[in-house]
């Protein structure tokens, strides 16, 4: 039995797309609003660009935590609680997201002729969805028992 056939029994597939920088990108909804997000298994938290606070209807509160990564350190962050997220058929409420300036990432993507992103899907979402990534077929699988309707 092929992996794809086995996974479809207990998991729901979401097709991944590649950027010119070889990142995986997916579409997701935050509070019912569509956005474009990079999948980053090394990011501990899901992050949304602070410039998209209004777009995604986020309530931001100050955070004492400074973010690091993607070539930057001590990035000012805010946090937004009680949000919903949907990726494919997977839905989850009461989600918290880190808000930070992603302009340096979008600048790098544009320099490589890639479309900008609204945020980064991190390990927190991947773990909650019990995600499996099929790198050969560019598919992200969410465990079906974790759907909310």
């Amino acid at each position: 039995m092929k992996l794809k056939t086995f996974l479809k029994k207990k998991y729901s597939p979401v097709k991944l797309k590649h950027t010119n920088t070889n990142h995986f990108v997916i579409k997701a909804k935050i509070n019912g609003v569509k956005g474009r997000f990079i999948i980053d298994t090394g990011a501990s938290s899901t992050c949304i660009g602070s410039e998209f606070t209004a777009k995604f209807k986020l309530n931001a509160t100050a955070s004492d935590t400074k973010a690091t990564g993607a070539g930057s350190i001590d990035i000012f962050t805010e946090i937004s609680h009680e949000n919903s997220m949907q990726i494919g058929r997977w839905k989850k409420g009461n989600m918290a997201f880190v808000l930070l300036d992603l302009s340096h990432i979008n600048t790098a993507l544009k320099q490589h002729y890639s479309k900008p992103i609204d945020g980064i899907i991190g390990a927190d979402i991947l773990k909650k969805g019990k995600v499996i990534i099929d790198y050969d077929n560019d598919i992200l699988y969410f465990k079906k028992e974790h759907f909310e309707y």
Side-chain angles (χ1 to χ4, degrees), residues 25-95:
V25 175
I26 61 167
K27 291 183 180 178
K29 288 183 182 178
I30 304 290
N31 298 325
V33 179
K34 290 181 184 178
R36 181 177 156 85
F37 298 84
I38 282 180
I39 298 293
D40 186 349
T41 60
S44 58
S45 299
T46 294
C47 304
I48 299 174
S50 53
E51 63 270 35
F52 304 117
T53 301
K55 173 183 177 177
F56 291 112
K57 306 170 196 169
L58 302 168
N59 294 317
T61 58
S63 171
D64 292 332
T65 305
K66 299 285 187 202
T68 61
S72 297
I73 59 170
D74 292 334
I75 301 169
F76 173 76
T77 65
E78 293 178 298
I79 192 154
S80 178
H81 293 280
E82 300 180 22
N83 300 290
S84 66
M85 175 172 248
Q86 180 176 350
I87 302 172
R89 293 186 59 213
W90 183 82
K91 297 177 186 179
K92 197 77 171 160
N94 199 26
M95 300 289 302

Coordinates of all heavy atoms in Angstrom, one line a residue, residues 25-95:
V25 N 4.4 26.7 0.9 CA 3.4 27.7 1.2 C 2.0 27.1 1.1 O 1.8 26.2 0.3 CB 3.5 28.8 0.2 CG1 2.4 29.8 0.4 CG2 4.9 29.5 0.3
I26 N 1.2 27.5 2.0 CA -0.2 27.0 2.0 C -1.1 28.2 2.2 O -0.7 29.3 2.7 CB -0.6 26.0 3.0 CG1 -0.3 26.5 4.5 CG2 0.2 24.7 2.8 CD1 -0.9 25.7 5.5
K27 N -2.4 28.1 1.8 CA -3.4 29.1 2.1 C -4.1 28.6 3.4 O -4.4 27.4 3.6 CB -4.4 29.2 1.0 CG -3.7 29.8 -0.2 CD -4.7 30.1 -1.4 CE -3.9 30.7 -2.5 NZ -4.7 30.9 -3.7
A28 N -4.4 29.6 4.2 CA -5.1 29.3 5.5 C -6.1 30.5 5.8 O -5.9 31.5 5.2 CB -4.1 29.1 6.6
K29 N -7.0 30.2 6.7 CA -7.9 31.3 7.1 C -7.7 31.6 8.6 O -7.6 30.7 9.4 CB -9.4 30.9 6.9 CG -9.8 30.9 5.5 CD -11.3 30.5 5.4 CE -11.8 30.5 4.0 NZ -13.2 30.1 3.9
I30 N -7.5 32.8 8.9 CA -7.4 33.3 10.3 C -8.7 34.1 10.5 O -8.9 35.1 9.7 CB -6.2 34.2 10.5 CG1 -4.9 33.5 10.1 CG2 -6.2 34.7 12.0 CD1 -4.5 32.3 11.0
N31 N -9.5 33.7 11.5 CA -10.7 34.4 11.8 C -11.6 34.6 10.5 O -12.2 35.7 10.3 CB -10.5 35.8 12.5 CG -9.8 35.6 13.8 OD1 -10.0 34.6 14.5 ND2 -8.9 36.5 14.1
G32 N -11.6 33.6 9.6 CA -12.4 33.6 8.4 C -11.8 34.4 7.2 O -12.4 34.4 6.2
V33 N -10.6 34.9 7.4 CA -9.9 35.7 6.4 C -8.8 34.9 5.7 O -7.9 34.4 6.5 CB -9.4 37.1 6.9 CG1 -8.7 37.9 5.8 CG2 -10.5 37.8 7.5
K34 N -8.7 34.8 4.4 CA -7.7 34.0 3.7 C -6.4 34.7 3.8 O -6.3 35.9 3.7 CB -8.1 33.8 2.3 CG -9.2 32.9 2.1 CD -9.5 32.7 0.6 CE -10.8 31.9 0.4 NZ -11.1 31.7 -1.0
G35 N -5.3 33.9 3.9 CA -4.0 34.4 3.9 C -3.0 33.4 3.3 O -3.4 32.2 3.1
R36 N -1.8 33.8 3.1 CA -0.7 32.9 2.5 C 0.4 32.8 3.6 O 0.9 33.8 4.1 CB -0.2 33.7 1.3 CG 0.9 33.0 0.5 CD 1.2 33.8 -0.7 NE 2.5 33.6 -1.2 CZ 2.8 32.6 -2.1 NH1 1.9 31.8 -2.5 NH2 4.0 32.5 -2.5
F37 N 0.7 31.5 3.8 CA 1.6 31.2 4.9 C 2.7 30.2 4.5 O 2.5 29.3 3.8 CB 0.8 30.6 6.1 CG -0.2 31.6 6.7 CD1 -1.4 31.7 6.1 CD2 0.1 32.4 7.8 CE1 -2.4 32.5 6.6 CE2 -0.8 33.2 8.3 CZ -2.1 33.3 7.7
I38 N 3.9 30.5 5.0 CA 5.0 29.5 4.9 C 4.9 28.5 6.0 O 4.6 28.8 7.1 CB 6.4 30.2 5.0 CG1 6.7 30.9 3.6 CG2 7.5 29.2 5.3 CD1 8.0 31.7 3.6
I39 N 5.2 27.2 5.7 CA 5.3 26.1 6.7 C 6.7 26.1 7.2 O 7.7 26.0 6.4 CB 4.9 24.8 6.0 CG1 3.5 24.7 5.5 CG2 5.2 23.6 7.1 CD1 2.5 24.8 6.6
D40 N 6.9 26.2 8.5 CA 8.2 26.3 9.1 C 8.3 25.3 10.3 O 7.9 25.7 11.4 CB 8.6 27.7 9.5 CG 10.1 27.8 9.9 OD1 10.7 26.7 10.2 OD2 10.6 28.9 10.1
T41 N 8.8 24.1 10.1 CA 8.8 23.1 11.2 C 9.8 23.5 12.3 O 9.7 23.1 13.4 CB 9.2 21.7 10.6 OG1 10.5 21.8 10.0 CG2 8.2 21.2 9.6
G42 N 10.7 24.5 12.0 CA 11.6 25.0 13.0 C 11.1 26.1 13.8 O 11.7 26.5 14.8
A43 N 10.0 26.7 13.4 CA 9.4 27.8 14.2 C 8.6 27.2 15.3 O 7.7 26.4 15.0 CB 8.6 28.7 13.3
S44 N 8.8 27.6 16.5 CA 8.0 27.1 17.6 C 6.6 27.6 17.6 O 5.7 26.8 18.0 CB 8.7 27.4 18.9 OG 8.8 28.8 19.1
S45 N 6.3 28.8 17.2 CA 5.0 29.3 17.2 C 4.6 29.8 15.9 O 5.4 30.2 15.0 CB 5.0 30.6 18.2 OG 5.3 30.2 19.5
T46 N 3.3 29.9 15.6 CA 2.7 30.4 14.4 C 2.8 31.9 14.6 O 2.4 32.5 15.6 CB 1.3 29.9 14.2 OG1 1.4 28.5 14.0 CG2 0.6 30.6 13.0
C47 N 3.3 32.6 13.5 CA 3.5 34.0 13.5 C 2.7 34.7 12.4 O 2.6 34.1 11.3 CB 4.9 34.4 13.4 SG 6.0 33.6 14.6
I48 N 2.2 35.8 12.7 CA 1.5 36.6 11.7 C 2.1 38.0 11.6 O 2.5 38.6 12.6 CB 0.0 36.7 12.0 CG1 -0.7 35.3 12.0 CG2 -0.8 37.6 11.0 CD1 -2.1 35.3 12.5
G49 N 2.3 38.5 10.4 CA 2.9 39.8 10.2 C 2.1 40.9 11.0 O 0.9 41.0 10.8
S50 N 2.7 41.7 11.8 CA 2.0 42.7 12.6 C 1.3 43.7 11.7 O 0.3 44.3 12.1 CB 3.0 43.4 13.5 OG 4.1 43.9 12.8
E51 N 1.7 43.8 10.4 CA 1.1 44.8 9.5 C -0.3 44.2 9.1 O -1.1 44.9 8.5 CB 1.9 45.1 8.3 CG 2.3 43.9 7.4 CD 3.5 43.1 7.8 OE1 3.9 43.0 9.0 OE2 4.2 42.6 6.9
F52 N -0.6 42.9 9.4 CA -1.9 42.3 9.0 C -2.8 42.2 10.2 O -3.8 41.4 10.1 CB -1.6 41.0 8.4 CG -0.7 41.1 7.2 CD1 0.5 40.4 7.2 CD2 -1.0 41.8 6.1 CE1 1.4 40.5 6.1 CE2 -0.2 41.9 5.0 CZ 1.1 41.2 5.0
T53 N -2.6 42.9 11.3 CA -3.5 42.8 12.5 C -4.9 43.1 12.1 O -5.8 42.4 12.5 CB -2.9 43.8 13.6 OG1 -1.6 43.4 13.9 CG2 -3.8 43.7 14.8
A54 N -5.1 44.2 11.4 CA -6.5 44.6 11.0 C -7.1 43.6 10.0 O -8.3 43.2 10.1 CB -6.5 46.0 10.5
K55 N -6.3 43.2 9.0 CA -6.8 42.3 8.0 C -7.4 41.0 8.6 O -8.4 40.6 8.2 CB -5.6 41.9 7.1 CG -6.0 40.8 6.0 CD -4.8 40.5 5.2 CE -5.1 39.3 4.2 NZ -4.0 39.0 3.4
F56 N -6.7 40.4 9.6 CA -7.1 39.2 10.2 C -8.0 39.4 11.4 O -8.3 38.4 12.1 CB -5.9 38.3 10.5 CG -5.3 37.8 9.3 CD1 -4.0 38.2 8.9 CD2 -5.9 36.9 8.4 CE1 -3.3 37.7 7.8 CE2 -5.3 36.4 7.3 CZ -4.0 36.8 7.0
K57 N -8.4 40.6 11.7 CA -9.2 40.9 12.9 C -8.6 40.4 14.2 O -9.3 39.8 15.0 CB -10.6 40.3 12.7 CG -11.3 40.7 11.3 CD -12.5 39.9 11.1 CE -12.9 39.9 9.7 NZ -14.0 39.0 9.3
L58 N -7.4 40.8 14.4 CA -6.6 40.3 15.6 C -6.6 41.4 16.7 O -6.5 42.6 16.4 CB -5.2 40.0 15.2 CG -5.0 38.9 14.1 CD1 -3.6 38.9 13.7 CD2 -5.5 37.6 14.7
N59 N -6.8 41.0 17.9 CA -6.6 41.9 19.0 C -5.2 41.7 19.6 O -4.9 40.6 20.2 CB -7.7 41.6 20.1 CG -9.1 41.9 19.6 OD1 -9.3 42.9 19.0 ND2 -10.0 41.0 19.9
A60 N -4.4 42.6 19.4 CA -3.0 42.5 19.9 C -2.8 43.1 21.2 O -3.3 44.1 21.6 CB -2.1 43.2 18.9
T61 N -2.0 42.3 22.0 CA -1.5 42.8 23.3 C 0.0 42.7 23.4 O 0.6 41.9 22.7 CB -2.2 42.0 24.5 OG1 -1.8 40.7 24.4 CG2 -3.7 42.2 24.5
A62 N 0.6 43.6 24.2 CA 2.0 43.6 24.3 C 2.6 42.3 24.8 O 1.9 41.6 25.6 CB 2.5 44.8 25.1
S63 N 3.8 42.0 24.4 CA 4.4 40.8 24.9 C 5.8 41.1 25.4 O 6.5 42.0 24.7 CB 4.5 39.7 23.8 OG 5.3 38.6 24.2
D64 N 6.3 40.5 26.4 CA 7.7 40.7 26.9 C 8.7 39.9 26.1 O 9.9 40.1 26.2 CB 7.8 40.4 28.4 CG 7.0 41.3 29.3 OD1 6.8 42.5 28.8 OD2 6.5 40.9 30.3
T65 N 8.2 38.9 25.4 CA 9.1 38.0 24.6 C 9.6 38.7 23.4 O 8.8 39.3 22.6 CB 8.3 36.7 24.2 OG1 7.7 36.2 25.4 CG2 9.2 35.7 23.5
K66 N 10.9 38.5 23.1 CA 11.5 39.0 21.9 C 11.7 37.7 21.0 O 12.1 36.7 21.5 CB 12.8 39.6 22.1 CG 12.7 40.9 23.0 CD 12.2 42.0 22.2 CE 12.3 43.3 23.1 NZ 11.3 44.3 22.8
A67 N 11.4 37.9 19.7 CA 11.6 36.8 18.8 C 13.0 36.8 18.1 O 13.6 37.8 18.0 CB 10.5 36.8 17.7
T68 N 13.4 35.6 17.7 CA 14.7 35.5 17.0 C 14.4 34.5 15.8 O 13.5 33.7 15.9 CB 15.8 34.9 17.8 OG1 15.5 33.6 18.3 CG2 16.1 35.8 19.0
G69 N 15.2 34.6 14.8 CA 15.0 33.7 13.7 C 15.0 34.4 12.4 O 14.9 35.7 12.3
A70 N 15.2 33.7 11.3 CA 15.1 34.2 9.9 C 16.1 35.4 9.8 O 15.9 36.4 9.1 CB 13.7 34.6 9.5
G71 N 17.3 35.2 10.4 CA 18.3 36.2 10.3 C 18.2 37.5 11.2 O 19.0 38.4 11.1
S72 N 17.2 37.5 12.1 CA 17.0 38.6 12.9 C 17.0 38.2 14.4 O 16.6 37.1 14.7 CB 15.7 39.3 12.6 OG 15.8 39.8 11.3
I73 N 17.4 39.1 15.3 CA 17.3 38.8 16.7 C 16.6 40.0 17.4 O 16.5 41.1 16.9 CB 18.7 38.6 17.4 CG1 19.6 39.8 17.2 CG2 19.3 37.4 16.8 CD1 20.8 39.8 18.0
D74 N 16.0 39.7 18.6 CA 15.4 40.7 19.4 C 14.3 41.5 18.7 O 14.2 42.7 18.7 CB 16.4 41.7 20.0 CG 17.3 41.0 21.0 OD1 16.8 40.0 21.6 OD2 18.4 41.5 21.2
I75 N 13.4 40.7 18.0 CA 12.3 41.3 17.3 C 11.2 41.6 18.2 O 10.8 40.7 19.0 CB 11.8 40.4 16.1 CG1 13.0 40.1 15.1 CG2 10.6 41.0 15.4 CD1 12.6 39.0 14.2
F76 N 10.6 42.8 18.3 CA 9.5 43.1 19.1 C 8.3 42.3 18.7 O 8.0 42.1 17.5 CB 9.1 44.6 19.0 CG 7.9 45.0 19.7 CD1 7.9 45.2 21.1 CD2 6.7 45.2 19.0 CE1 6.7 45.5 21.7 CE2 5.6 45.6 19.6 CZ 5.5 45.7 21.0
T77 N 7.6 41.7 19.7 CA 6.4 40.9 19.4 C 5.2 41.4 20.2 O 5.3 42.0 21.2 CB 6.6 39.4 19.8 OG1 6.8 39.3 21.2 CG2 7.8 38.8 19.0
E78 N 4.0 41.0 19.7 CA 2.8 41.1 20.4 C 2.1 39.8 20.3 O 2.6 38.9 19.6 CB 1.9 42.2 19.7 CG 2.4 43.6 19.8 CD 1.5 44.6 19.1 OE1 1.4 44.5 17.9 OE2 1.0 45.5 19.8
I79 N 1.0 39.6 21.0 CA 0.3 38.3 21.0 C -1.2 38.6 20.8 O -1.7 39.6 21.3 CB 0.6 37.5 22.2 CG1 0.1 36.1 22.1 CG2 0.1 38.1 23.5 CD1 0.8 35.0 22.9
S80 N -1.8 37.7 20.1 CA -3.3 37.8 19.9 C -3.9 36.4 20.3 O -3.5 35.4 19.8 CB -3.6 38.1 18.5 OG -5.0 38.2 18.3
H81 N -4.9 36.5 21.2 CA -5.5 35.3 21.7 C -6.9 35.2 21.1 O -7.5 36.1 20.6 CB -5.6 35.4 23.3 CG -4.3 35.3 24.0 ND1 -3.7 34.1 24.2 CD2 -3.6 36.3 24.5 CE1 -2.5 34.4 24.8 NE2 -2.5 35.7 25.0
E82 N -7.5 34.0 21.3 CA -8.9 33.7 21.0 C -9.2 33.9 19.5 O -10.2 34.6 19.1 CB -9.9 34.5 21.9 CG -9.7 34.2 23.3 CD -10.6 35.0 24.2 OE1 -11.7 35.5 23.8 OE2 -10.3 35.1 25.4
N83 N -8.4 33.3 18.7 CA -8.6 33.4 17.2 C -9.0 32.0 16.7 O -8.7 31.0 17.3 CB -7.3 33.9 16.5 CG -6.9 35.2 17.0 OD1 -7.5 36.2 16.7 ND2 -5.9 35.3 17.8
S84 N -9.5 32.0 15.5 CA -9.8 30.7 14.8 C -8.8 30.6 13.6 O -8.4 31.6 13.0 CB -11.2 30.6 14.3 OG -11.4 31.6 13.3
M85 N -8.5 29.3 13.3 CA -7.7 29.0 12.1 C -8.3 27.8 11.4 O -8.8 26.9 12.0 CB -6.3 28.7 12.6 CG -5.4 28.2 11.4 SD -3.7 28.1 11.9 CE -3.0 29.4 11.0
Q86 N -8.2 27.9 10.0 CA -8.6 26.8 9.2 C -7.6 26.6 8.1 O -7.2 27.5 7.4 CB -10.0 27.1 8.6 CG -10.4 26.0 7.7 CD -11.8 26.2 7.1 OE1 -12.5 27.1 7.5 NE2 -12.2 25.3 6.2
I87 N -7.2 25.3 8.0 CA -6.3 24.9 6.9 C -6.9 23.7 6.3 O -7.0 22.7 6.9 CB -4.9 24.6 7.4 CG1 -4.2 25.8 8.2 CG2 -4.0 24.1 6.3 CD1 -2.9 25.4 8.9
G88 N -7.3 23.8 5.0 CA -8.1 22.8 4.4 C -9.3 22.5 5.2 O -10.1 23.4 5.6
R89 N -9.6 21.3 5.6 CA -10.8 20.9 6.4 C -10.5 21.0 7.9 O -11.4 20.9 8.7 CB -11.2 19.5 6.1 CG -11.8 19.4 4.7 CD -12.4 18.1 4.4 NE -13.4 17.8 5.3 CZ -13.8 16.6 5.8 NH1 -13.1 15.5 5.3 NH2 -14.7 16.4 6.6
W90 N -9.2 21.2 8.3 CA -8.8 21.3 9.7 C -9.2 22.7 10.3 O -8.8 23.7 9.7 CB -7.3 21.0 9.9 CG -6.8 21.0 11.3 CD1 -6.9 20.0 12.2 CD2 -6.2 22.1 12.0 NE1 -6.3 20.4 13.4 CE2 -5.9 21.7 13.3 CE3 -5.9 23.4 11.6 CZ2 -5.3 22.5 14.2 CZ3 -5.3 24.2 12.6 CH2 -5.0 23.7 13.8
K91 N -9.9 22.7 11.4 CA -10.3 24.0 12.0 C -10.0 23.9 13.5 O -10.2 22.8 14.1 CB -11.8 24.2 11.8 CG -12.3 24.3 10.4 CD -13.8 24.5 10.4 CE -14.3 24.5 9.0 NZ -15.8 24.6 9.0
K92 N -9.6 25.0 14.0 CA -9.3 25.1 15.5 C -9.7 26.5 16.0 O -9.3 27.5 15.3 CB -7.8 24.8 15.7 CG -7.5 24.4 17.1 CD -7.9 23.0 17.4 CE -7.3 22.6 18.7 NZ -8.0 21.5 19.3
G93 N -10.3 26.5 17.1 CA -10.6 27.8 17.7 C -9.7 28.1 18.9 O -8.9 27.2 19.3
N94 N -9.9 29.2 19.6 CA -9.1 29.6 20.7 C -7.6 29.5 20.5 O -6.9 29.0 21.4 CB -9.6 28.7 22.0 CG -9.2 29.4 23.3 OD1 -9.0 30.6 23.3 ND2 -8.9 28.6 24.3
M95 N -7.2 30.0 19.4 CA -5.8 30.0 19.0 C -5.1 31.3 19.4 O -5.7 32.3 19.3 CB -5.6 29.7 17.5 CG -6.2 28.5 17.0 SD -5.3 27.0 17.5 CE -3.7 27.4 16.8

